[in-house]
Amino acid sequence: MIDRPAAIVLLVDDDEPKRYAVAKTLRRAGYTVHEAGTGSEALRRVATRPDLVILDVKLPDMDGFDVCRRIKSDPATCTIPVLHISSTFVDIEDKVQGLESGADGYLTNVAEPLELLATVRALLRARRAEDAAQLSTRQWQTTFDTISDGVLLLDGQGRVVQVNRTLERILGRSWSDLVGQDLPSLLGGLPASEPPLFEQMIESGTRESRDVHRGDSWLRISIDPIRDAESAIKGGLCLVSDITSQKRLEMQLLRQAQRLQEDDRRKDEFLAMLAHELRNPLASLSNALEIIGQLHDRSDEVTEAIPIARRQIQHMGRLLEDLLDVSRITRGKVELRKQMVDFGTIVAHAIETCQPLVDSHGHELSAAIPADPIPLDGDPTRLEQIVANLVNNAAKYTEPGGRIAVSLVREGNQAVLRVRDTGIGISPEMQRRIFDLFVQADRSLDRSQGGLGIGLTLVRSLVELHGGTIAVQSDGVGQGSEFLVRLPMPSESTPLAEPDRSSTVTVAPAHLRILLVDDNRDCIRTMTKLLELHGHQVWSAGDGPTALEVASTSALDVVLLDIGLPGMDGYQVAQWLRQHWGPEQLTLIAVSGYGGDEVRRRTILAGFDHHLVKPVGLSELERILAVHPRRREATG
Ligand code: ADP
């Protein structure tokens, strides 16, 4: 078999008969043979890059060894194998000199075709193997260089063995500058990494990464261990990527997120403030309405208008309370006043309060509540709020004449409440978002049921504050809905709290001497009128010093004191009053826009006996006034 028959052999010999004979042997074997008779002609023809040069050592114009040296020293031809030939007997030194000049083989007996062809084939094979090795090295280097990340190979001591072009570009340093360095000096100019990255990789045996800031740019450096056949770490493969644009984007997103958070916080604060500020005018409106309601000589139109106005004021009050609640919840400021309660009683009471709305829609409501108590450790007001919200929604979002079913069961150590309706239903997409803030299925302005889309957010938050879960299920629009609340029951049974009977206290007839202190004139005016209509004697003051003056000159039973007064605040006024009159002589009632535990603690410390949250309802106030010592004396 002939190796690469198309291979080109340049045969250089001045001895024509010998050249002819050798060329003939080669051509017969399938090689293409180019011939040259002198050294200079050989150097000219070698520029066409034959696959092999057969070179006689004795040439007329120059030494064959010299020709060989020049072929081997030219980068363009250095890889072409050279076979020295000599027809005469040469001593060993000639052979040595030939090989020293770079020749790849030496043959004396060219007349022997078998030996000649075997030598030529061997040299061409070696050349091809070398070409292939060079090609794969070149391909490897090209691939290595085109990797878009900087790559460097490290030996077992963390010294650089190889780098690619991208790394040279990223670091602005050349290959020779980088190879042989260790990682810290290679990354010179970058903040030192503590602990050193390479050592850290050796220690962990896994990939280690760092992001480092370098001038205006950011680099991510990560090293993976390179292991030998026995899995021992013998170096590292280090990737250096320019992540500047990614970092810029991240920082931009971070700034945007911070801005959004800030906007969100301001919105929450604004909602809280708005709801808080709207309470005062609402309280005045409510009181004014009460006064009108007490007039004897009012027209039929006014009599008809009163319940409408009362309903709307109550509705507005509920919206404000929800707004305040939701802003408290989003700011994590809701505190539960937990005690042992019977959830069955709470559910029954919540249904009772919703009954008017249910009836007004002509719905039929059925409730299945077990006779045995379902004890929960919870805040009774908040638990009732949860149930009432769900039942109210069921009533609102069901066409007139629908059915609502409320059931409460005990499942293991959970209380499970179901509120089901035959109403408008909820689409699957909506079910996923329904508990999110401000989400409403119908956002049209003329939607008939009003609302702010915060009820269910509140319900979920309150359920979760009690350690429970809530879920919604509906087969889709028009298919009705079911809300399922699960609340954990306490493991050991603590006695249930006595129900609050204060709401059943009847108002005694005796009048009290009351001082109202508030900087809101409308509040003062309407509350004064109301209290007077209930037979009390009322004084008023718009600020702290006036209040102290009135208190020093008049015999008083009760002071109703707004906390947020200009100048001297309600706490200071209370402290001064307490220094002069004890609790048996003077009842101090704080009136504040805030009802948190912290505020209540402060008012008690300042000497107050009671704390009311604005807007103060007359019935709430009357409950306190009814048990005043002077009235007990009067009724007793
Ligand atoms: P609001 O009732 O003030 O809109 P909610 O948070 O209580 O706020 O309810 C959010 C939305 O969920 C409602 O607007 C309504 O689209 C939908 N939804 C709530 N309860 C029901 C229900 N029982 N049936 C159908 N849709 C309901």
Side-chain angles (χ1 to χ4, degrees):
M1 198 178 93
I2 296 163
D3 274 339
R4 284 185 72 204
I8 299 167
V9 179
L10 173 61
L11 177 60
V12 189
D13 200 335
D14 61 331
D15 180 346
E16 278 189 33
K18 188 172 109 220
R19 198 172 76 218
Y20 174 77
V22 173
K24 197 169 159 195
T25 307
L26 290 171
R27 283 196 181 104
R28 261 206 205 128
Y31 296 107
T32 304
V33 183
H34 296 170
E35 297 179 37
T38 61
S40 44
E41 196 186 349
L43 288 175
R44 220 173 27 252
R45 301 206 72 156
V46 88
T48 61
R49 299 184 48 82
D51 296 301
L52 173 73
V53 179
I54 298 178
L55 185 62
D56 188 11
V57 292
K58 302 249 171 3
L59 293 170
D61 54 343
M62 55 205 293
D63 191 344
F65 300 128
D66 228 22
V67 175
C68 179
R69 220 171 276 118
R70 286 168 70 168
I71 290 173
K72 291 293 181 183
S73 59
D74 182 346
T77 56
C78 65
T79 55
I80 303 171
V82 176
L83 172 65
H84 272 314
I85 53 169
S86 137
S87 49
T88 53
F89 177 79
V90 287
D91 58 24
I92 194 77
E93 271 158 30
D94 268 358
K95 214 166 176 177
V96 168
Q97 193 186 352
L99 293 172
E100 294 269 294
S101 67
D104 301 272
Y106 203 106
L107 202 62
T108 43
N109 192 7
V110 283
E112 177 45 69
L114 284 181
E115 192 183 359
L116 171 73
L117 288 177
T119 309
V120 165
R121 272 201 298 269
L123 288 174
L124 285 173
R125 256 200 315 273
R127 161 89 200 263
R128 273 210 312 276
E130 204 173 298
D131 278 356
Q134 269 184 10
L135 187 69
S136 76
T137 307
R138 265 203 308 278
Q139 277 171 344
W140 184 85
Q141 187 66 43
T142 312
T143 315
F144 193 53
D145 283 339
T146 49
I147 296 173
S148 59
D149 288 328
V151 186
L152 48 113
L153 297 174
L154 303 169
D155 65 13
Q157 276 69 51
R159 263 191 303 275
V160 178
V161 184
Q162 184 60 283
V163 299
N164 72 347
R165 286 257 155 77
T166 317
L167 188 80
E168 291 179 273
R169 213 173 39 243
I170 290 177
L171 296 180
R173 297 169 70 177
S174 69
W175 185 91
S176 55
D177 200 16
L178 298 170
V179 168
Q181 307 240 27
D182 57 11
L183 204 53
S185 38
L186 171 106
L187 301 174
L190 298 181
S193 107
E194 263 322 315
L197 204 49
F198 185 75
E199 283 75 352
Q200 180 84 353
M201 184 271 294
I202 296 277
E203 197 160 293
S204 68
T206 54
R207 164 180 283 229
E208 287 297 326
S209 294
R210 298 266 193 293
D211 289 352
V212 291
H213 200 192
R214 179 177 193 256
D216 288 340
S217 53
W218 277 91
L219 299 180
R220 174 160 301 160
I221 302 170
S222 38
I223 311 186
D224 281 295
I226 300 174
R227 299 173 188 276
D228 61 15
E230 277 79 44
S231 271
I233 296 176
K234 60 169 201 163
L237 171 69
C238 180
L239 287 186
V240 180
S241 12
D242 189 340
I243 52 162
T244 311
S245 47
Q246 183 190 330
K247 275 276 175 192
R248 278 201 192 121
L249 200 68
E250 269 175 28
M251 282 191 278
Q252 223 170 328
L253 286 175
L254 197 75
R255 275 198 296 275
Q256 264 169 14
Q258 279 168 344
R259 259 202 305 274
L260 283 176
Q261 250 174 9
E262 175 63 14
D263 287 352
D264 197 44
R265 195 186 54 75
R266 276 212 301 273
K267 179 210 72 196
D268 282 347
E269 275 175 12
F270 170 75
L271 285 180
M273 181 79 74
L274 178 73
H276 191 251
E277 286 302 309
L278 287 177
R279 278 173 143 184
N280 274 335
L282 201 64
S284 299
L285 276 178
S286 165
N287 288 343
L289 195 64
E290 285 300 315
I291 294 165
I292 296 170
Q294 312 246 348
L295 296 177
H296 297 296
D297 55 348
R298 47 175 203 251
S299 67
D300 288 350
E301 285 86 351
V302 171
T303 306
E304 273 171 34
I306 287 174
I308 301 173
R310 191 176 286 139
R311 267 200 308 279
Q312 296 309 317
I313 285 179
Q314 274 170 0
H315 183 53
M316 230 160 115
R318 270 197 304 274
L319 289 178
L320 286 186
E321 282 313 311
D322 277 0
L323 255 184
L324 271 176
D325 268 350
V326 87
S327 74
R328 276 188 214 118
I329 281 179
T330 49
R331 288 177 298 148
K333 292 213 164 147
V334 163
E335 293 162 18
L336 294 184
R337 292 152 183 273
K338 282 189 172 181
Q339 59 187 68
M340 277 311 238
V341 290
D342 170 25
F343 193 35
T345 312
I346 288 176
V347 173
H349 194 251
I351 291 174
E352 222 176 281
T353 58
C354 299
Q355 199 66 52
L357 184 75
V358 172
D359 292 344
S360 71
H361 284 76
H363 301 317
E364 190 186 299
L365 189 150
S366 65
I369 301 168
D372 287 340
I374 305 262
L376 283 186
D377 183 19
D379 182 330
T381 315
R382 296 309 196 170
L383 288 172
E384 189 173 322
Q385 197 178 350
I386 294 171
V387 185
N389 233 310
L390 294 177
V391 178
N392 270 337
N393 273 353
K396 278 192 329 190
Y397 299 110
T398 298
E399 298 297 344
R403 283 193 311 281
I404 300 170
V406 181
S407 76
L408 175 65
V409 288
R410 178 187 189 141
E411 283 180 15
N413 57 354
Q414 284 185 330
V416 181
L417 173 81
R418 286 186 173 82
V419 180
R420 206 171 55 242
D421 62 53
T422 54
I424 61 169
I426 305 166
S427 70
E429 192 273 331
M430 199 61 192
Q431 287 177 45
R432 279 191 289 278
R433 302 190 296 128
I434 200 142
F435 295 105
D436 294 345
L437 194 55
F438 304 133
V439 167
Q440 294 183 308
D442 180 5
R443 298 238 69 164
S444 55
L445 280 177
D446 64 346
R447 69 196 195 288
S448 47
Q449 302 309 329
L452 299 171
I454 54 186
L456 287 180
T457 311
L458 270 178
V459 168
R460 183 179 57 184
S461 307
L462 292 174
V463 167
E464 286 172 356
L465 279 173
H466 280 90
T469 58
I470 183 164
V472 62
Q473 205 282 322
S474 169
D475 289 339
V477 174
Q479 304 295 308
S481 324
E482 179 178 274
F483 286 82
L484 180 79
V485 175
R486 289 177 180 277
L487 292 166
M489 292 172 63
S491 42
E492 47 194 80
S493 58
T494 320
L496 296 179
E498 280 292 308
D500 180 9
R501 294 188 203 288
S502 55
S503 58
T504 59
V505 171
T506 46
V507 178
H511 77 262
L512 293 169
R513 294 158 301 186
I514 303 172
L515 167 62
L516 294 180
V517 191
D518 200 314
D519 58 337
N520 183 318
R521 283 222 206 128
D522 283 344
C523 254
I524 293 255
R525 229 176 272 146
T526 53
M527 192 52 104
T528 305
K529 194 79 193 152
L530 265 183
L531 289 170
E532 281 175 355
L533 281 168
H534 279 78
H536 301 292
Q537 195 180 351
V538 184
W539 285 260
S540 65
D543 54 41
T546 317
L548 302 185
E549 208 179 300
V550 176
S552 329
T553 52
S554 325
L556 298 172
D557 302 310
V558 177
V559 180
L560 210 66
L561 194 52
D562 183 23
I563 295 292
L565 291 172
M568 186 178 195
D569 69 18
Y571 297 118
Q572 290 166 297
V573 178
Q575 273 159 359
W576 189 91
L577 291 172
R578 266 290 163 261
Q579 281 166 13
H580 295 80
W581 295 279
E584 278 303 305
Q585 298 154 304
L586 190 63
T587 301
L588 295 184
I589 305 173
V591 179
S592 159
Y594 304 94
D597 279 352
E598 186 48 40
V599 181
R600 283 173 195 275
R601 255 194 305 276
R602 260 193 91 183
T603 52
I604 299 301
L605 272 180
F608 282 101
D609 302 292
H610 302 277
H611 182 119
L612 294 178
V613 179
K614 284 184 183 180
V616 175
L618 190 67
S619 56
E620 207 180 359
L621 181 58
E622 269 300 350
R623 273 206 297 276
I624 297 173
L625 300 182
V627 292
H628 189 277
R630 266 199 70 227
R631 298 188 90 185
R632 283 208 301 267
E633 279 163 26
T635 54

